[in-house]
Amino acid sequence: MGTLLGVVGLSLFVWKVVVDRWEKNRAYILGLVLCAAGLLALYWVKPGDQHLMTTILVVVGIGMGAHWIVPFAMVPDTIDHGHMQAGERQTGMYYGLYGLMDKLARTLATVLVAGMLDVTGYVPNVVQSADALQGITLMTGVLPGLCLVLAIPLLLAYPITRSRHAEIRGHTGLR
């Protein structure tokens, strides 16, 4: 966990530079691809393979750093876009909706993890069955990785580019 969080922390500086130079949706897609690739690769890690695990955690950590930077750079652009469309700023509504969706996603993930543990026969504090181990493997790598991949088409459709955002800011009188 220390490796993962340390890499995430160090990668934040890199992601800031990437977001400043690339379109935000493209930067986020790169982060999703790195994170998803690492999470999917976890499926093939065998117990005791520390070197492979560390390498994968570095890749996941770099990708995960994008999650801590890019969405927070995209929300203000979305607020400006909404301002242009509605004719008024609704900043609180957008941040409230962002927070609500985040909490709903975390809650759904927790429920799904608990359900998967139950379905696969997980029993705390004992050696786990093959089914329980397979369920844990799916929940910690494969399923989250697939969810990240499913987000890519949404980011490809994200319409706010740098030039579009400049037009929006000009239209709404923002500098």
Side-chain angles (χ1 to χ4, degrees):
M1 206 51 163
T3 299
L4 178 67
L5 293 177
V7 171
V8 168
L10 291 173
S11 76
L12 297 179
F13 301 101
V14 175
W15 284 112
K16 168 67 170 96
V17 172
V18 171
V19 167
D20 287 345
R21 294 185 181 171
W22 291 17
E23 296 293 346
K24 292 172 186 171
N25 64 330
R26 302 289 181 186
Y28 204 8
I29 288 169
L30 175 60
L32 291 178
V33 167
L34 289 170
C35 195
L39 289 171
L40 293 170
L42 286 174
Y43 184 79
W44 290 278
V45 176
K46 302 293 181 222
D49 197 346
Q50 293 299 327
H51 295 296
L52 179 59
M53 185 64 159
T54 300
T55 302
I56 290 172
L57 288 177
V58 167
V59 172
V60 171
I62 292 168
M64 196 177 285
H67 298 301
W68 291 17
I69 293 285
V70 185
F72 296 104
M74 294 172 87
V75 172
D77 297 354
T78 305
I79 292 168
D80 291 343
H81 186 264
H83 179 193
M84 183 190 72
Q85 289 185 324
E88 63 180 306
R89 286 196 74 77
Q90 298 175 331
T91 303
M93 191 257 326
Y94 280 95
Y95 277 108
L97 185 59
Y98 181 86
L100 175 65
M101 291 296 110
D102 181 64
K103 285 175 179 40
L104 286 174
R106 290 173 191 271
T107 301
L108 178 61
T110 301
V111 169
L112 291 174
V113 167
M116 178 72 87
L117 289 173
D118 188 48
V119 166
T120 60
Y122 174 81
V123 179
N125 303 317
V126 300
V127 174
Q128 299 303 315
S129 68
D131 286 344
L133 291 173
Q134 183 68 21
I136 291 167
T137 299
L138 289 173
M139 287 182 302
T140 57
V142 175
L143 295 177
L146 291 176
C147 288
L148 295 177
V149 168
L150 290 174
I152 292 172
L154 298 173
L155 287 166
L156 287 170
Y158 183 74
I160 306 173
T161 61
R162 288 188 192 290
S163 60
R164 179 70 180 133
H165 188 243
E167 290 172 20
I168 291 167
R169 292 185 64 82
H171 183 269
T172 58
L174 298 170
R175 300 265 174 221

